[in-house]
Amino acid sequence: ENDVSMHGIVAMVELQPDFIVVILDIPHLRAFGIVKKLSEMTTSKVILISVLDDDNYREMARQSGVHHFLVATEAGTKLLSIVTEG
């Protein structure tokens, strides 16, 4: 799993996409560390999607450099507008 995460980070650093969408796999909190690395190593806007609408997760996401925190139930409608607005 660490290899998969590292390969993903390396790919994102090389590609520098406009957006990176990370789905937070509850209770897998390693995603915040991955997001922090992506925020530090890319110019991409990081969007984090979580199944839980949790204030602690929102704060951890903010501290990790996330540009947008979306709850999975709202991601379908909000993700499109975020991406099209840039």
Side-chain angles (χ1 to χ4, degrees), residues 44-81:
S44 306
K45 293 181 181 175
V46 179
I47 302 167
L48 185 67
I49 299 174
S50 172
V51 296
L52 293 179
D53 187 4
D54 183 271
D55 289 339
N56 290 329
Y57 284 178
R58 286 184 184 276
E59 180 59 22
M60 290 171 70
R62 188 191 64 73
Q63 291 177 5
S64 298
V66 167
H67 291 84
H68 298 279
F69 179 94
L70 302 176
V71 178
T73 55
E74 66 185 12
T77 55
K78 291 189 177 182
L79 187 58
L80 181 60
S81 65

